[in-house]
Every structure is written in structure tokens, then in C-alpha cells.
């Protein structure tokens, strides 16, 4: 394989990985813009999506589509329960206290998952077979196409939801000024609940579509969540195209670094990029200001 083929393969792999980071990053951004906090438990909903799907498939022997739907529903319920039990009772807490609570929630969810499913790594079957597809000088697995398709559909649906539905516009109003939104009759607490439901559903979908490629276990959400957070930071905590571009940039640079230098640097590259971005542009590369965030 000559250098051109290698670069093409790295770029294609990076795009797929970046799409996952973007999907997770948008979940971070939605909660941050609705509540002002960083939900470091977001990665655990990614893990729950994959683990619930494996559970419904292998233990209950349900069809793949039914297992996926139930896994998303179960993860969403977990996200709603997390907001009701951990975040809402602390309504007067400082932002740093709420961040610490999300870290504690992450540890708790991960511990429960370890007790329920054990420490073993679980495989999830691919959605459309394993026959590689040739794209120019690179090859791609059918599962990568599912990643691109699901991420694209979710991002488009989220933009339509926030721009054209009553509840979406209400959530945007809470992001702009929660006190003013409450004065005009918007139930701010309900909007916060919706933000956790939407972000946990997004996270679970990311975990489901990546599980056939990377497999899943009780602790996969830690690193995926941190990289999704990096994508959100690069995108300026925007739940739109900024975070999508942030995820894609992160995925491509990570893939190129791992391929050209060493795979041992793969995880370090994401955090080096984060530190550079925070040093040069603390508000992110694609920050558009508070008035354009969701």
C-alpha cells in the first residue's frame, strides 16, 4: 500500500471516528446550553447503549432492530432518572458542584454496569455484514456507512427540532436566558429534563453504532466521553455544525497521528489538541457566541 492509499485510509477511518465524537459532543453541548454544566456522565450513556443492545440480543434473544430501540429507550430512561435524582435536587448548587455530581454519577453508573454485566468485553454483530466496500484507494466496512448515516440523520433532526418545534424553541429560550424564559411561562425544569433525555438518547445511539467495530464493555464510555467533550470544546459548545466539525477534525487528526507515528499516541493526541485549542482559542474554533447556541 503506497503512501496515497495509506493517507486515504486514515482519512476515511478518521471521518468515521469523528462522526462518533461529534454525536457524543452534541449531547454534551445540549446539556451545557440548557443547564450551564458539563455532564461528565455522558460517556456512560454511550456505554449503556451498547451494553443494553448486547443484553437484549444475547440474553433475551430479541431481533436486532427491537434490541436497538429498547436499548435507546432504556438509556434515555437512565438519563431522565439521572437528572431527576442527581441534578434537580441540587438546583441551588454551584456549577462546579454539579460537575462533581456528574463525575460521581459516571462512576456510579459504571460500577453498576460492571456488577450487572461483568468486566468482559462483549461483541455486537454488524448491521449489514463484513464485506469491505472499495471507495477510491481506500476500503470501508458497511458499519462505517451506518455511522455516517445515523450521525447525519441525528444532527439534521436535532437542528429541525430546535428550530421548528415549540419545545425546541423553548429549550433555546432557556439557553439564552432561563430566568426570562420562566417569566414568559416556559417550564425551565422540564426543558432541562428534555435536554438530558435527548443527550442520553444521542449518546446511546453512538454507543450502539460503534459497538460492532470496537466491541463494548462497562468502561468504554470513559474515553469516548472525554473525546466527545474535546469535540464539543473545539466546536465552541455549539450543538450545531461547530461540534460536528470539531469531532471530524479530532477524528482525522487522531487517525493520522496513530497511523503515521504510533497507535500508542492515539488517545494522547485528542488531549494535546484540546490543550492547544484551550490555549489559543478558549471559546473553541467554531464559537459563534451565545446567541447562536442551542
Amino acid at each position: 500500500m503506497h503512501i496515497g492509499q495509506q493517507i486515504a485510509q486514515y482519512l476515511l477511518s478518521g471521518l468515521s471516528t469523528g462522526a462518533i465524537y461529534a454525536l457524543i459532543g452534541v449531547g454534551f453541548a445540549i446539556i451545557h446550553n440548557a443547564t450551564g454544566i458539563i455532564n461528565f456522565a455522558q460517556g456512560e450513556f454511550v456505554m449503556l447503549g451498547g451494553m443494553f443492545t448486547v443484553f437484549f440480543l444475547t440474553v433475551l434473544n430479541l431481533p436486532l432492530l427491537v434490541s436497538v430501540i429498547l436499548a435507546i429507550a432504556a438509556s434515555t430512561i437512565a438519563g431522565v432518572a439521572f437528572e431527576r435524582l442527581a441534578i434537580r435536587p441540587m438546583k441551588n448548587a454551584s456549577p462546579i458542584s454539579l460537575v462533581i455530581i456528574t463525575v460521581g454519577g459516571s462512576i456510579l453508573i459504571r460500577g453498576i454496569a460492571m456488577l450487572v454485566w461483568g468486566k468482559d468485553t462483549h461483541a455486537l454483530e454488524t448491521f449489514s455484514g463484513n464485506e469491505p466496500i472499495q471507495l477510491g484507494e481506500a476500503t470501508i466496512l458497511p458499519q462505517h456507512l451506518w455511522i455516517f448515516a445515523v450521525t447525519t440523520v441525528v444532527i439534521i433532526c436535532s437542528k429541525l427540532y430546535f428550530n421548528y418545534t415549540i419545545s425546541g424553541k423553548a429549550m433555546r429560550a432557556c439557553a439564552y436566558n432561563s430566568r426570562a424564559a420562566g417569566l414568559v411561562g416556559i417550564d425551565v425544569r422540564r426543558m432541562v429534563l428534555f435536554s438530558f433525555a435527548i443527550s442520553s438518547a444521542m449518546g446511546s445511539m453512538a454507543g450502539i453504532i460503534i459497538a460492532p467495530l470496537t466491541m463494548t464493555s462497562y468502561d468504554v464510555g470513559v474515553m469516548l466521553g472525554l473525546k466527545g467533550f474535546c469535540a464539543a470544546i473545539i466546536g465552541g459548545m455549539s450543538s450545531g455544525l461547530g461540534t460536528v466539525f470539531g469531532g471530524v477534525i479530532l477524528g482525522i487528526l487522531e487517525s493520522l497521528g496513530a497511523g503515521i507515528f504510533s497507535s500508542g499516541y492515539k488517545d494522547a493526541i485528542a488531549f494535546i489538541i484540546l490543550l492547544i485549542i484551550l490555549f489559543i482559542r478558549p471559546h473553541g474554533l467554531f464559537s459563534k457566541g451565545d446567541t447562536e447556541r442551542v
Side-chain angles (χ1 to χ4, degrees), residues 66-249:
V66 176
S67 298
V68 168
I69 294 173
L70 290 177
I72 295 172
S75 301
T76 304
I77 291 172
V80 169
F82 179 70
E83 191 277 336
R84 292 298 298 268
L85 298 176
I87 302 299
R88 184 170 297 189
M90 304 293 292
K91 60 182 179 179
N92 295 321
S94 64
I96 187 63
S97 298
L98 292 173
V99 169
I100 293 171
I101 288 171
T102 67
V103 173
S106 171
I107 297 171
L108 175 63
I109 295 171
R110 191 160 61 250
I112 293 173
M114 183 185 68
L115 291 175
V116 173
W117 291 302
K119 296 183 178 180
D120 295 334
T121 300
H122 303 272
L124 183 63
E125 64 184 75
T126 57
F127 297 171
S128 304
N130 294 305
E131 188 67 28
I133 300 169
Q134 190 73 30
L135 289 178
E137 296 185 329
T139 58
I140 190 172
L141 294 174
Q143 191 65 32
H144 288 100
L145 298 180
W146 279 99
I147 291 174
F148 293 138
V150 170
T151 301
T152 301
V153 169
V154 169
I155 297 299
I156 291 174
C157 288
S158 69
K159 292 301 292 182
L160 293 175
Y161 170 76
F162 286 118
N163 289 327
Y164 297 104
T165 67
I166 298 298
S167 60
K169 291 178 180 178
M171 197 176 295
R172 291 181 67 187
C174 293
Y176 298 152
N177 190 318
S178 60
R179 179 173 296 180
L183 290 174
V184 297
I186 296 174
D187 190 336
V188 177
R189 293 192 300 177
R190 180 178 296 179
M191 293 303 106
V192 171
L193 185 67
F194 281 172
S195 73
F196 272 84
I198 294 171
S199 64
S200 57
M202 284 185 174
S204 67
M205 282 187 275
I208 291 167
I209 58 180
I210 200 175
L213 297 176
T214 63
M215 294 192 289
T216 187
S217 65
Y218 80 98
D219 60 349
V220 298
V222 178
M223 195 57 66
L224 286 172
L226 288 173
K227 291 180 180 179
F229 173 64
C230 291
I233 290 294
I234 294 171
M237 276 297 172
S238 163
S239 59
L241 291 178
T243 298
V244 174
F245 287 137
V248 170
I249 289 171

Side-chain angles (χ1 to χ4, degrees), residues 4-32:
Q5 288 178 310
Q6 289 180 334
I7 296 298
Q9 191 65 56
Y10 297 151
L11 289 175
L12 205 54
S13 175
L15 282 172
S16 174
T17 306
I20 292 294
Y21 296 162
L23 198 56
I24 300 170
V26 169
F28 270 101
I30 288 174
I31 289 182
H32 178 265

